[in-house]
Amino acid sequence: MGRRASGPAAEEALSAPNPFRFTTLAHAGRDVLGPVSVAVVDALLARLARDDRVERVLDVGCGKGETLVRALEHLGCSGIGVEPNPAFASDARERVARRLPPGRAVVLEARLADAPLPAHAFGLGICTGALHAFGDWRETLQGMTRLVAADGWALLGPGYWKQVPHPDYLAAFGGSEDEQHPLPTTLSLAEATEIASTPASRPCPTRTGTRLSTVELLPS
């Protein structure tokens, strides 16, 4: 079981009218917040660990920092996490301090649009369950292209609806039904996405600089 976010930041996030209140409650006890399990994360990172060119990692919507920390443990490099939820960002900083040497990772408590991130500076870009930080699937690929180096990698995990969301559920956190799709539609969109291989817009589902050619459906 994961550690429940605690302290002043967590108390603030759990108090109305905080926009992060419900997501903080819903993910209490979870370490990895995206639509993947720890086992899947480790399996993917083990494959990337063979590429010693990955020197810097970016995790957009890093949540409590578990995936970011595991990536840096596997790859032995440095990284940046971006997380707008104060409770999650606080938990991520604690996790970084507890498991990594000083200076290996920085957690920015900010929305992606407000985070000062250099272009083409990361060998690995991660965004699992937080593609809304960029927009839709196509905007996520374009955004990662701006951030990830030309020979880098991107690990993307889009969320999806297991059932049609109730309007009251969407209203509770200010969401909309078109933010996500059912799983078959999500896979179809991923497989159909094609972006010209130019310096300004290279897709990065596997390596940047190549077209999206394969989509892997991994068990969660």
Side-chain angles (χ1 to χ4, degrees):
M1 293 292 290
R3 296 171 61 254
R4 187 185 184 95
S6 60
E11 292 176 5
E12 178 184 352
L14 291 172
S15 63
N18 190 296
F20 303 111
R21 180 172 186 266
F22 291 104
T23 189
T24 302
L25 286 168
H27 291 97
R30 287 183 59 90
D31 291 329
V32 177
L33 310 189
V36 291
S37 67
V38 169
V40 168
V41 169
D42 283 344
L44 290 170
L45 293 174
R47 290 160 59 180
L48 292 178
R50 295 190 290 269
D51 190 339
D52 57 9
R53 291 171 293 182
V54 178
E55 298 180 352
R56 202 175 186 192
V57 173
L58 170 67
D59 190 348
V60 176
C62 70
K64 300 177 185 179
E66 181 65 23
T67 300
L68 174 64
V69 169
R70 284 178 177 270
L72 302 188
E73 289 173 337
H74 275 271
L75 301 170
C77 58
S78 62
I80 296 176
V82 180
E83 175 54 53
N85 183 330
F88 290 167
S90 176
D91 209 38
R93 292 192 187 100
E94 292 177 10
R95 198 174 301 252
V96 164
R98 189 170 66 251
R99 289 168 50 185
L100 296 174
R104 283 278 297 280
V106 174
V107 177
L108 303 178
E109 186 180 314
R111 297 183 183 278
L112 176 61
D114 301 323
L117 299 172
H120 308 298
F122 302 94
L124 170 62
I126 301 171
C127 186
T128 58
L131 270 62
H132 54 272
F134 292 96
D136 59 19
W137 177 254
R138 181 178 291 273
E139 290 167 330
T140 299
L141 294 179
Q142 292 172 335
M144 277 294 183
T145 295
R146 292 190 295 271
L147 296 166
V148 175
D151 60 347
W153 299 84
L155 172 57
L156 307 179
Y160 61 90
W161 298 124
K162 287 189 174 181
Q163 61 187 38
V164 177
H166 192 279
D168 292 344
Y169 170 78
L170 295 171
F173 65 93
S176 62
E177 185 176 343
D178 59 5
E179 288 181 13
Q180 300 183 156
H181 306 280
L183 181 57
T185 305
T186 300
L187 293 174
S188 295
L189 287 171
E191 291 168 344
T193 301
E194 295 182 2
I195 302 177
S197 180
T198 67
S201 59
R202 294 193 187 102
C204 345
T206 51
R207 284 197 94 96
T208 54
T210 63
R211 285 179 52 203
L212 172 56
S213 57
T214 60
V215 176
E216 294 184 55
L217 177 59
L218 299 171
S220 59

